[in-house]
Amino acid sequence: MISTTSPDPTSSASAAFPGQIARTQRYSLGAPRAFTLSADGTAALFLRTRGPEDRTGCLWLLDGDGEHLLVDPDTLGGSSDGVPEAERIRRERARERTGGIVGYDADPDLGTVVFALDGALWCWERPDGPPRPVPTAGPVVDPRLSPGGRRVAYVSGGALHVADLDGAPGLLVAAPEGADVTYGLAEHVASESMGRYRGHWWAPDGRHLLAARVDDSPVQRWWIADPANPSRPPREVAYPAAGTANADVSLHVFGLDGTRTEVVWDRTAYEYLARAGWDAHGPLLAVQSRDQRTLRVLAADPATGATRLLHEQRDPAWVELIPGTPARTASGALVHTADLGGTRRLTVAGEPVTPEGLQIRSVEDVAGESVLFTASDEPTEVHLWSYAPQSGAERLSEEPGVHTGQRAGGALLLDSHTDDGPRFRLLPAEGAPLPVACLSAEPVTPPRVTWLRAGELAVRTALLLPSWHRPGGDPLPVLMAPYGGPAMQLVLHGRYWPLCEAQWFAEEGFAVVVADGRGTRGRGPVWEKTVHGDTLGAPIEDQVTALHAAAAHCPDLDLGRVAMRGWSYGGTLAAAAVLRRPDVFHAAICGAGPSDQRLYDTHWRERFLGHPDEEPAAYDRSSPIGEAASLRRPLLLVHGLADDNVVAAHTLRMSAALLAAGRMHQVLPLSNVTHGPTDPVVVEGLLRHQLNFLRASLNVSPPQAV
C-alpha cells in the first residue's frame, strides 16, 4: 500500500471529526433559525438549542436589550414520546434535527406566540409570563395564529380545529369523512417534492380559513417493516410512485360560522396544488398539470369558490416551482418569475424587473410594492436583493456566501453563511447592529477550498487537499464527493457540513473533488433542464471534467485511484459512474440511492423523466439497476431500512441484480434509520466504515504522524 504522512495536530483533529459532526447534528445544533421579525423591526423571535450538542429547541427573543430565553421546553415537562404521527412525518420531511420546539407562530408585534410541544398546544404572551397550555381536541399539528391573534387553527387526527386563547370553547372546522382523508395538512408529494409544507391558511379577517382536503385512498400502499424488531407490525405508507395515482387534493374556504365553499378549478387537468395562500386581495393558488409543463396562477372568490386565471406559464420540459411565488403587491400586481433565455427573472405585473444573468432563487417577502428576494449572478453565491418600482433591483448583502433575510419597519434581519462560518444580525433602522449568537460548534476540520471552474462549461468545482500536503509529495488518491442533482448545491461559499466532511476525508489522505454539474441549481433554466429525459448522462460527464480539471490544477492527484461517494441522488450518481466509467472511477459508495426510478414519487420523478408508461427509455437511462452486470469495481450500498422517501427496496433490488449477475459488492443496512441518519452512533460509525471501505478499495494506508 502507498502511505502518506501527516503532523500530529491534524491527526488529532481528524480522529475527533466523526464524533463531532455526529453529536452536533452536522453543526446544526446551537445555530439560530426560524426567525420572525417584528412589524416595527425592533425585535425578533428565533429558535435555538442551548449549545452545540444540545437537541432541545428553545424559543428566544432578541431586542435592544440583547437575547432573552422565552421558553425552555424542559421546564414544561415535555417528552418526545407524545409527538403525534402526522407531526413526526412533517418533521422528517422538513429534515428537522432537533426536539423541543421545532416551529411556532406569532402575531406581528411578537406579543403572542403559539407552538406545539409533544402534541400539546402552548401559548406565550407578554408581559413576560410563563407559557400556558391551551385546551385542544387532541394532539396538535401545525398551529397557526389568526390575524387578530386570539384564535389558533391546528390539525388533530386529520381534522381541522380552532382553539380560542381567551377561553371560549374550541371549534371543529372540518372532520375527515374517512380514515384516508385529512384536512389542513400537506400531502406527501407537496412536502417532499413541491416545497409546500402547509395545508391551511387564515383569511385576513380572522373569520375564515382556506384549507386543503387530502384523500389518500387512490394512492397505493407500501409497508415499511423494522427487520431489527420483528415483533413490530409494518408501518403502512401511502406512497405515490411514478406512474401511479396521486392523492385527491381539493381546496375549501371554511367560515367559523359553519359555512363551507369549495374552490373550483379543473382538478383533472391540474391535479397538483402547488401553492396556496390568502392575502389582502383574497385566496391565491397555483395549480400544476400532471406533466408539470403548465402552471396556472388563480385568484379565487371566497364567497363562491369560482377562480379566474391570473397567469399561465408553460415549458417544454417542466415549470420550476420557485419558493415564495406567486405573491401579490399591495396594489395587486402579481409577483412571479419567468424563464427568459438562460435567465430566471423576477416579474412584477408580468414585466421582468431583474437583469439578464441574475438567477432568481426565491421570493422572501412582498411588502407594499417592494419585493425581497434571493438571487445569484455567480452560482457559488446567493445574495439578498430588494426590488422597488422607484429604485429597481438592489443587492443588500455583500461578502461571498449564502444570504437570506427579512425586512420590517426599516430594519433588516440578515442570515449569512460565509467561508468564515454562519453570522446572524439585526440591522435596525437606527443604531448599532444587534448580533444573534451562534452556539454551533467550530468544525475541527474547517474546509480549505480551492475554487475551480472546470472545462468549457465552467463546472463549479471545489478541491480540498490535506492540510499537510506539499506539492510534489506522495500521489493522493481522489475522492469525488458530489450531490450533483437538482435538490441541492454543494459548491457554495459557506462553511457547510458537506465541505467540512470533505475536508475530513482529505485529512485522512485523499484529494477531495466536489462538483456541481448540469442539473444543479443556481445557473439558470437551461443548465437545470439539460437533464430532462436523462438524469445521469450529462452529470457523469461533468464529474469526469471536474476530476481532470482538478488534476490539471494539482498534478499530485493519482488518477489511477479515484472513488466516488454520495447520498440519495448523489448515491445514484456514484453507482452509475462506477458502472459506466470504470476506466475513470475505481470504487463507489451509494447511500440511499434510487436505483430504479420507477420506485420514486410522482411529482419529483415525472418532472425530469415524464410518465413511465410514456417514456420508459428515460427511466431505463436513469436507473443504474439495469446496468448491474457492468460492475467491475468495488461498490458499497448503504440504506436506512426505515426510509419512507427512497425506500430500501431500491438497494435490495440493486443488490439482487448484482448478485444475479455474479458481481461482488457490499451492502450495509441501517436499522431504524430514515432517509438521513441522525443517531450519533450511526452517523459516526457510518463515516468510519466508508473510510475503511475506500482505503481497502483504493489500496490506501492511513496517514502516519511525523
Side-chain angles (χ1 to χ4, degrees), residues 114 121 129 191 194 407 558:
V114 295
L121 178 62
S191 56
M194 298 183 204
R407 284 193 309 188
D558 184 353

Side-chain angles (χ1 to χ4, degrees), residues 287-346:
V287 297
Q288 194 174 39
S289 58
R290 175 73 181 246
D291 65 11
Q292 301 182 54
R293 294 173 180 172
T294 305
L295 180 76
R296 286 189 162 189
V297 178
L298 306 175
D301 183 336
T304 66
T307 56
R308 58 186 176 90
L309 180 65
L310 298 181
H311 176 72
E312 183 174 277
Q313 188 174 358
R314 294 178 178 268
D315 191 277
W318 72 83
V319 176
E320 187 73 13
L321 301 177
I322 306 303
T325 65
R328 286 182 286 202
T329 68
S331 66
L334 183 67
V335 177
H336 211 269
T337 64
D339 292 351
L340 302 174
T343 303
R344 178 163 295 134
R345 301 173 70 177
L346 181 71

